[in-house]
């Protein structure tokens, strides 16, 4: 099927999310769609700003996300599997372990247009735009993300705290030095 139809894609993701092997199916759908990243970018051209929930029910939460240049989303978990596909700009995803001595940086994954990554429920990551461009992505979570309780983590101490607007605003960083 040539092209990318967002409404159709959301229907496919909703169906996949209800299957026993939902993580695998969602990842396969995302990987297949993002193979034609130009078509995804074209279909998503009407979206701007930081985020928008495209669909959510008890099984799946599908988001548009646009991160401004040098924005650094603070360390957080998802408490569900997150599958992320970037269709424009570049994100650096930094992964951490929370230990007695605070957050320990484990690895960084550069995610470019057409790349799809899956992140486990307990993984902790921060997300930083890599350059002067906005990064644009579709995020798929296998749970109703707006209602589940998840955590943000203090940059220095690694202490977990509720993921809410106040904590997010306090921890958000700009990567401009
Ligand atoms: Fe995340």
């Amino acid at each position: 099927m040539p092209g990318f139809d967002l409404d159709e894609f959301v229907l496919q993701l909703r169906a996949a999310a209800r299957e026993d092997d939902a993580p695998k199916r969602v990842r396969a759908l995302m990987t297949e769609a993002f193979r034609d990243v130009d078509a995804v970018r074209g279909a998503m051209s009407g979206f701007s700003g930081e985020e928008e929930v495209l669909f959510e029910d008890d099984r799946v939460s599908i988001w548009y996300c646009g991160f401004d240049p040098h924005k650094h989303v603070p360390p957080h978990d998802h408490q569900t599997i997150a599958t992320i596909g970037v269709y424009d700009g570049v994100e650096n995803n930094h992964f951490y372990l929370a230990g007695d001595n605070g957050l320990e940086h484990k690895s960084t994954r550069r995610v470019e247009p057409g790349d799809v990554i899956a992140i486990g429920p307990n993984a902790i990551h921060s997300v930083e735009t890599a350059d002067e461009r906005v990064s644009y992505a579709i995020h798929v979570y296998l749970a109703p993300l707006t209602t589940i309780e998840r955590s943000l983590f203090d940059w220095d101490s690694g202490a977990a705290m509720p993921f809410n607007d106040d904590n997010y605003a306090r921890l958000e960083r700009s990567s401009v030095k």
Side-chain angles (χ1 to χ4, degrees), residues 76 78 84 119 125 127 139 141 150:
H76 61 276
H78 305 102
I84 295 166
I119 302 173
H125 79 153
V127 186
H139 295 200
Y141 306 93
R150 57 198 187 107

